[in-house]
């Protein structure tokens, strides 16, 4: 049910991250060890930042392992911040508009997991998407709808809170329709400057997620490795499952937590979804404008 | 902006209709004469009936003219009732779920044209789709949403009225958003027994549509042509633009009209969209339940 | 490295063979148990006979497990003799012209395995293909070249001998270039009437191959199963690995053997490649004209 | 029958050349004015140089006009030397390995035109390809075989002479098989430093080809245009048909000529194919080693 990778640090050729390491993400498209499925062959996508005003996105319905164009691009595109995602579809069509990462303006978004009972709650969820954003939904994936919910609930202003509201809203809608565990998964999102990664599931058994230790510590695990010396000290990877052959380089993200990686320093914090306010109007608390106006 | 063809009659090999004639539909994918665009290369689809409980659908994002699989299928599939559509996309992604014909149960649906200002009215329109049908919408095309509106408004019970309501509703929503001419196009739909074809546009300048004359009259135009002798007397084609080399075989469908082809005989009637009732409740007329409950 | 299935018997809907059974071929595209690779996701193909002069072929570069069109076709195409193949590419491009089955006239051909060191012997092999057949080679797969060698060496006249010559020639060419075990694999071929299946490898460790027992015996394993009662007594399946849930229904093809299934009765015989004659001209034996004129 | 564009100059975002200008190459994929076909929708490709040891190549079987990934790449890839090609297939399959540009090491190659009677001469031609290069031929296009002939005949050492030998050889083989006008087309090739462009046809009616005037002169045609001021003085475009809205910016390449663009200065010279030596051995002249050893 998908695997992904997010890189932030000094500019690097994508192939050095996506293809070169042992048990690379491309290898995981055929041989995932920790994923819900061994094979993640229902399309893929990459999104990367450079000098252009919006990030580039390259998505395809072919399996990542046999795609000649992905291999070419990875050998020629260099970026200080990029996402890569390999997909194992569960229900929605194999088409580019269902491939991650999704993009809106400067934002990228990718997800490994699902909204359980999505067919029953989809209408509730898309109705809560801001009307100005509604026509931007291009595909039919639950992950994309979640992205547009987060955008509607303030991703630009307070990313962690917006994701908490989006998942909280999805959980409320699911439970209202009788779904026991409405949300499962890990999410990465970025505005091209900072990177947020979330690990959470309603059931408390979330998909695997790891982040790389401080690169200065990783270098000591393999002092001769050139690539580790080349990248800057603030380089960080977040991955569905470890890549490379240095197990000591990785820390598992705790259940129900999220991390933020930014120039100002990195943070790892607990994650709790924010349920929508019970009453539509008149709540004593000050709540987010939009979420206050929506109901499952 | 698309071309299509609908065949009903004695079972025939698809290739005899789609490839063999002069200026065939496949040729029109490269060289349309009457279409809004010369090239209709943004995917295609066929839908056909046989002994199976639902019609088969084969859709692809490749241009029809170079698709080896379409050529193969057309040479091996035989059907008494089939649709074929070639697409010229205007905005929505080139993906199978946006290719016509669309299918729901026994129904097929295809469209040449557009809902003008679709981005501004899409939310209004999908909200009017029956909640049970909502999760069935697979793509992002205006044509598919129109199909689900027609299904919501009674396609199963009274196809012509349901289409009139769907287009009437789309027009009302469009006008409410300031769109001058909300609907443009021709539509074909079938339940596997009868065939309905519509030609209408809010502007009164509709895309071209033709139906074949009684096959007994057509045979006299080319008495030696084997294929014309082989097909049954009730064989009928409806096409965006004439195929073959017998101009006398075709009658142009009048502006704002629709036709029905069935075992019980064929009909050609005026078409008028049915606007939704002004008041939500309490109308004196008995109106269709669902349309009464929706508003733009 | 690929899995395949060949069916001959009374006409059957392809889906009843390809999708319905437990551990079906489509399931094997994700979860092969006996193949060299678990995943066979680099394209697929089907070839089927009906009333048309040549068999139909539908091939795609998508994984079989997620292909909507394959599912559609399988639910609507009925045939008394068909091939299906799922591919795990090893080197050659993922493109339709490299997908099996290959077709020439009435013949279909599919292969699971490889010609080892193909890059070094490819020129030798294609030079031995009949000049009239040479332009028909459409892709770059070793399996297709082997097919054209077999056609050049008399497939039309004596299929088993032609395959023995083709493999014998490939082995001779490989060994002349220092390849230890030049050929590996299983092959199925048919002219639309009879079916030949081969299991052989230079190393003596061939890819798995099974054929179904006499259907009358299989029926006794599951007397209630409707599909087994419906098919005719002469129905036979040959498969890379067993499908369904009746292990007793299958017999493993012996190492270095081939079988023929035809109206005149079935045969299972030892298979020995036929090396090309040592001397180019003047051999005392009467040898096949073409093979006598070729050398590695 | 294809259109192409070659750019050399200061590094530029591909989109500024491929999408932005009036009647851009992407527009020509739908609306070519001077091509043999209006529509060039059978795939496309780009090849570009950057710091990597070999040029990047991105090729697809989709029409260029609707390909979302091409649009993305063009907006993010910047290069001082790149090729772009849109294809109108004539016979060979629509697959990536038949899409231009073709690459070998540092070389790129693209072609608009055909080898007439290719099926009859293909065997002759591929037999003349150097044995070490033979396994590198990936597709089935005449253009690719011509590239490998040129590589076999010395492209690395003397590009213009090698192309003259390749076309001369193709003409000799064609005429030996009764083809009146064996070669038609325009060719671009580059080693990443210099660019060679050829216009020639056996019939003397070659496909259109244009090169841009000295950019200093072009700037005077539109002094306000920013892009013209940004690019360096040695910037040069070679195109199948003019792009942009400045007809005065283009010079038609004469029939039977070739041009070379390099740091050392540009040249425009007559082009004459070099027929292979009549006698296989013993020629008094010193001829190119390989071509001396080949015969049609």
């Amino acid at each position: 049910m998908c695997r992904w990778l997010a890189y932030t640090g000094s500019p690097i050729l994508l192939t050095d991250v996506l293809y070169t390491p042992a048990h690379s993400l491309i290898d995981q498209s055929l041989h995932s060890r920790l994923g819900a499925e061994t094979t993640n062959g229902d399309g893929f996508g990459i999104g990367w930042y450079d000098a252009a005003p919006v990030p580039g996105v390259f998505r395809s319905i072919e399996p990542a392992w046999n795609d000649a164009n992905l291999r070419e691009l990875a050998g020629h595109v260099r970026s200080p911040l990029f996402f890569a995602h390999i997909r194992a579809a569960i229900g929605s069509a194999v088409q580019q508009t269902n491939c991650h990462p999704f993009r809106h303006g400067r934002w990228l978004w990718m997800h490994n997991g699902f909204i359980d009972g999505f067919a029953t709650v989809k209408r509730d969820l898309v109705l809560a998407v801001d009307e100005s954003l509604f026509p931007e939904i291009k595909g039919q994936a639950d992950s994309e709808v979640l992205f547009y919910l987060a955008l509607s609930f303030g991703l630009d202003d307070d990313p962690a809170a917006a994701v908490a509201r989006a998942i909280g809203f999805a959980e409320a809608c699911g439970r209202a329709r009788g779904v026991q565990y409405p949300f499962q998964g890990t999410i990465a999102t970025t505005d091209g400057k900072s990177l947020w990664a979330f690990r959470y599931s309603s059931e408390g058994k979330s998909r695997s997620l790891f982040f790389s230790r401080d690169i200065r510590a990783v270098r000591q695990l393999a002092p001769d490795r050139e690539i580790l010396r080349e990248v800057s000290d603030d380089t960080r990877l977040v991955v569905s499952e470890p890549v490379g052959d240095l197990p000591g380089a990785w820390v598992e993200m705790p259940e129900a937590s999220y991390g933020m990686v930014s120039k100002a320093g990195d943070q790892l914090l607990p994650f709790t979804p924010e349920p929508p306010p019970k009453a539509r109007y008149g709540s004593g608390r000050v709540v987010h404008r939009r979420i206050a106006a929506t109901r499952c």
Side-chain angles (χ1 to χ4, degrees), chain A:
Chain A
M1 240 163 283
C2 313
R3 302 275 80 182
W4 57 255
L5 174 156
Y7 172 95
T8 171
S10 49
I12 195 169
L13 208 54
L14 270 55
T15 199
D16 289 337
V17 177
L18 297 183
Y19 285 89
T20 309
H23 196 52
S24 70
L25 188 75
I26 304 307
D27 183 50
Q28 292 173 26
S29 69
L30 261 181
H31 303 296
S32 163
R33 292 170 192 156
L34 304 182
E37 289 277 356
T38 300
T39 306
N40 295 277
D42 299 317
F44 66 84
I46 55 173
W48 71 99
Y49 293 84
D50 54 20
V54 293
V57 170
F58 172 68
R59 303 188 293 182
S60 166
I61 61 172
E62 314 302 332
W65 71 75
N66 75 28
D67 195 84
N69 285 324
L70 177 59
R71 193 173 290 268
E72 289 290 318
L73 259 67
H76 289 270
V77 169
R78 192 177 287 274
S79 172
L81 175 49
F82 65 89
F83 279 13
H85 186 277
I86 52 176
R87 186 165 180 244
I90 41 170
S92 58
V94 178
Q95 58 191 24
Q96 285 181 19
T97 55
N98 287 348
C99 290
H100 312 221
F102 302 100
R103 176 183 61 197
H104 182 79
R106 289 282 295 172
W107 287 89
L108 291 178
W109 175 278
M110 59 185 175
H111 173 215
N112 161 31
F114 55 90
I115 293 174
D116 200 23
F118 184 56
T120 63
V121 297
K122 183 175 182 181
R123 192 172 183 276
D124 301 332
L125 299 184
V126 298
L127 286 191
V129 170
D130 189 287
E131 287 194 32
S132 69
L133 293 171
F134 184 88
E136 302 294 311
I137 300 176
K138 296 281 189 291
Q140 53 171 165
D142 49 1
S143 307
E144 189 190 21
V145 171
L146 202 68
F147 179 32
Y148 279 91
L149 283 175
L151 285 163
S152 300
F153 294 165
L155 191 66
D156 255 325
D157 302 323
D158 185 345
V163 173
R165 289 176 197 130
I167 294 178
F169 185 73
E171 283 190 322
C173 291
R175 285 181 184 133
R177 300 276 183 180
V179 180
Q180 188 177 14
Y181 300 123
F183 180 79
Q184 165 62 267
T186 66
I187 291 171
T189 190
T190 177
D191 58 359
K193 292 180 196 152
S194 302
L195 164 68
W196 290 261
F198 301 82
R199 185 183 185 209
Y200 175 77
S201 59
S202 312
E203 192 182 3
K205 297 178 180 174
S206 301
R207 296 281 178 264
S208 59
L209 192 62
F210 297 80
F211 59 89
S212 61
R213 284 185 197 283
D214 189 299
I215 198 77
R216 288 162 293 198
V218 177
R219 281 187 197 118
Q220 295 179 357
L221 299 175
D224 297 339
R225 205 155 297 178
E226 198 177 351
I227 190 79
L228 294 177
R229 290 199 308 252
E230 284 174 7
V231 295
S232 61
D233 286 359
D234 61 355
T235 293
R236 186 81 76 181
L237 277 168
V238 187
V239 296
S240 292
E241 63 186 79
V243 303
D245 53 2
L246 302 172
W250 301 96
V251 181
E252 186 167 16
M253 191 100 120
E255 182 68 46
S257 67
Y258 77 99
M260 184 184 69
V261 182
S262 74
K263 293 288 170 197
D266 302 348
Q267 284 187 304
L268 182 60
L269 296 162
F271 176 80
T272 314
E274 180 182 328
K278 288 258 168 56
R280 194 165 174 172
Y281 301 107
S283 159
R285 298 164 51 204
V286 176
V287 293
H288 187 271
R289 183 185 56 82
R290 188 161 317 283
I291 206 164
T294 53
R295 273 207 292 200
C296 298

